Amino acid sequence: VGTGVSRRRFVRGVGVAAAGALAVPVWPHIRGAAAADTRWKMRLSGSSINFTALPIEQACQRLAALGFEAIDVWSAHAGCPHLDDALQRLKAEGLKELLAKNRLKLNSFSVYAGGYPRYAELLGQCGGGVAIRGSAGPCDPKDLVAKMKSFLEQLKPELDLAEKYNSYLAIENHGSSLLDSPDSFKAFVELNKNPRLGVALAPYHLQAIHASVEDVIAIAGPQLFYFYAWQLAPGVEQLPGLGKTDFAPWLAALAKIDYRWYVNPFLHGEPPPDETSKVLAKSLAYLKDCYGKL
């Protein structure tokens, strides 16, 4: 489960009782690698929505050819067909075969459209992973703790599904939402006692409110289940290495908390597939260069 230090951090984040029942969520291949080498490992996942114009088979081929280790499969946000196609046509066995053929691990399902319950069984049948969803509407700062507590209570049915299907639920921060500000991350982390629940951190939205990404990474700690390598910029400049943001401090912050999941380069409004492949290749090279300098 990583080092003793990360276990202690986990206990502080989600409670002693929960930690005793289930330790920090770490895939077996990650756990083994960590045991062999104590240096923090940056692992890279790509989002299928960045190839929305292609069927899921070709999206997987593109991501694998670029060198991604894992995939984040998107439901129908912005018309992405991939997760519903997997659910209705490929089924679990077909999706597993497709990923195995391309030597891709399953990182996550992004379920902003459709919701987690629709895809929970498929995620479990494919070996489990992270389901990423949004939080709730904004609230007055004085009501933050009460609203966050209520939101976490409402997640119980989905967390029961995560337990049943050996998966995890990650809540993304977004502009004008309940999970948005650093204070809201603090409230989430302090109130969350379920080791299957964590956050999906989108720096794009933190930069929009001039919040420190490094500080929020530190706040989230072991409850950080997903990291969008995504900056506030137009077009392809949203990607690491193409815009103005220096991602090295963000990777250093991830290393400091011993982040055990994937780093996911991301943009919305991608260009045509060939151009997307080119800019993602540049972005991956940049991230690897940043990592090499840590």
Side-chain angles (χ1 to χ4, degrees):
V1 191
T3 66
V5 172
S6 60
R7 179 182 292 273
R8 288 194 295 274
R9 289 202 306 269
F10 176 74
V11 170
R12 287 201 301 271
V14 299
V16 175
L22 182 66
V24 181
V26 180
W27 300 136
H29 70 278
I30 295 177
R31 184 183 301 117
D37 186 350
T38 57
R39 184 180 186 232
W40 177 68
K41 300 289 188 181
M42 180 180 70
R43 294 173 173 82
L44 296 166
S45 169
S47 290
S48 74
I49 194 173
N50 291 146
F51 292 102
T52 292
L54 301 177
I56 188 171
E57 287 87 353
Q58 292 181 35
C60 287
Q61 290 170 7
R62 294 274 184 150
L63 292 171
L66 285 163
F68 285 104
E69 180 180 342
I71 187 172
D72 167 35
V73 184
W74 276 66
S75 63
H77 179 84
C80 184
H82 299 143
L83 188 50
D84 282 313
D85 190 31
L87 179 70
Q88 297 164 9
R89 177 176 63 89
L90 293 178
K91 314 296 185 186
E93 286 307 312
L95 180 55
K96 288 193 292 185
E97 288 175 7
L98 175 61
L99 296 182
K101 178 181 178 180
N102 289 281
R103 298 183 180 180
L104 287 171
K105 298 180 179 70
L106 177 60
N107 176 18
S108 50
F109 285 175
S110 285
V111 295
Y112 297 103
Y116 171 55
R118 174 178 174 84
Y119 307 104
E121 185 175 8
L122 178 65
L123 186 59
Q125 290 172 340
C126 290
V130 184
I132 304 162
R133 52 155 290 173
S135 58
C139 70
D140 191 299
K142 65 181 176 58
D143 299 323
L144 176 59
V145 172
K147 292 289 187 180
M148 188 66 74
K149 188 177 295 185
S150 175
F151 172 67
L152 296 181
E153 285 289 327
Q154 294 169 18
L155 289 177
K156 284 186 176 179
E158 293 188 34
L159 290 169
D160 288 342
L161 285 175
E163 179 73 29
K164 179 178 180 180
Y165 294 113
N166 191 29
S167 298
Y168 301 88
L169 197 62
I171 311 301
E172 187 225 5
N173 61 297
H174 201 282
S176 300
S177 67
L178 180 62
L179 189 64
D180 180 14
S181 67
D183 283 344
S184 68
F185 277 89
K186 290 176 184 176
F188 181 100
V189 168
E190 290 171 2
L191 292 168
N192 175 31
K193 307 301 179 185
N194 192 313
R196 290 194 179 274
L197 177 64
V199 297
L201 180 54
Y204 180 103
H205 298 301
L206 289 177
Q207 289 183 312
I209 59 172
H210 307 290
S212 167
V213 175
E214 297 96 312
D215 287 352
V216 173
I217 289 172
I219 290 167
Q223 294 192 39
L224 180 58
F225 289 2
Y226 189 97
F227 185 77
Y228 290 94
W230 183 27
Q231 63 186 300
L232 180 62
V236 297
E237 292 182 10
Q238 296 169 65
L239 286 169
L242 279 74
K244 297 179 180 179
T245 299
D246 180 3
F247 278 66
W250 296 0
L251 295 184
L254 293 174
K256 190 172 182 179
I257 67 164
D258 200 19
Y259 175 65
R260 293 294 182 176
W261 301 80
Y262 290 93
V263 172
N264 201 98
F266 190 74
L267 80 160
H268 272 314
E270 70 282 348
D274 287 348
E275 179 62 21
T276 297
S277 290
K278 290 178 182 178
V279 294
L280 278 174
K282 292 179 181 178
S283 189
L284 287 177
Y286 168 78
L287 283 174
K288 291 174 182 177
D289 183 62
C290 288
Y291 174 71
K293 295 175 180 176
L294 286 181

